[in-house]
Amino acid sequence: MSESIISVRNLCKSVSDSTGTLHILHDIGFDVRAQETVAIVGASGSGKSTLLSIIAGLDTPSAGTVQLCGQDLFARDEDARAVLRAQKVGFVFQSFQLLGNLTALENVMLPLELDGRKDARKLAGDMLERVGLASRVHAYPKVLSGGEQQRVALARAFVVKPAVLLADEPTGSLDFATGATIMDLMFTLNQEQGTTLVLVTHDRQIAQRCQRRLIVDAGRLHEDS
């Protein structure tokens, strides 16, 4: 059995305001092995997206630890977590998160350029061709369809060959047919690169494509039997 690439222990998240304290996550613990595909499933407001953000180090827990690629995320400061994300993690979001002032090619080049890669343009162009957008490399996001924008987002995520891909409702803004095509592409790229995939979704059909399903219900986690 391969070693854990993500290890979550005793994770809690609470937020307080003038009305009191809201407990979002309660004592969450699980491991994800290298190259495993895991779906985090739950209703809207269950805490699953908050959990994914904490795994990424984008949000901080109230208690507990996250080990990512052998590193204790929250023993690092925010800048050090950002460096680790840049080196090890790819992201795909429901809202695509493309930069509107950059072309498709420039959006995909960005993480490579931030990593100092001299071959960023060629790698980005090759990746856009791989996701079927060779003819759209110079198009800006505003003229791309939702499906095309998510293909750019996939290309941007996979072009750095991340150890871990974190995807938050990647088909949530797409129609059914387009979403199915995007999921096929995501799973194909994931398999080609041997990436570890953690996917947040409320769609049970998408979740069934993963090797394991973790269910978040009112901030508590249990594994699907």
Side-chain angles (χ1 to χ4, degrees), residues 94-106:
Q94 176 177 341
S95 56
F96 318 132
Q97 299 282 16
L98 301 180
L99 296 177
N101 61 327
L102 300 181
T103 65
L105 182 65
E106 290 165 343

Side-chain angles (χ1 to χ4, degrees), residues 132-150:
L133 290 178
S135 65
R136 304 290 271 161
V137 293
H138 299 303
Y140 288 91
K142 66 182 180 182
V143 299
L144 297 174
S145 69
E148 288 173 330
Q149 289 186 65
Q150 197 61 299

Side-chain angles (χ1 to χ4, degrees), residues 39 41 204 207-208 210-216 221-225:
V41 185
R204 285 301 186 117
Q208 288 295 332
C210 293
Q211 293 164 315
R212 288 168 61 209
R213 285 155 298 284
L214 303 175
I215 300 171
V216 181
L221 183 137
H222 63 275
E223 188 146 356
D224 198 7
S225 56

Side-chain angles (χ1 to χ4, degrees), residues 54-61 64-89:
I54 293 174
I55 293 170
L58 294 169
D59 194 0
T60 56
T65 62
V66 176
Q67 293 263 344
L68 178 65
C69 300
Q71 303 292 319
D72 185 340
L73 265 187
F74 300 105
R76 293 168 160 245
D77 63 22
E78 194 169 333
D79 289 342
R81 290 199 298 272
V83 170
L84 182 61
R85 277 196 299 274
Q87 293 172 340
K88 301 292 187 182
V89 182

Side-chain angles (χ1 to χ4, degrees), residues 193-213:
Q193 293 196 5
T195 308
T196 303
L197 173 64
V198 179
L199 166 69
V200 162
T201 183
H202 66 276
D203 188 321
R204 285 301 186 117
Q205 285 188 309
I206 292 174
Q208 288 295 332
R209 298 183 65 170
C210 293
Q211 293 164 315
R212 288 168 61 209
R213 285 155 298 284

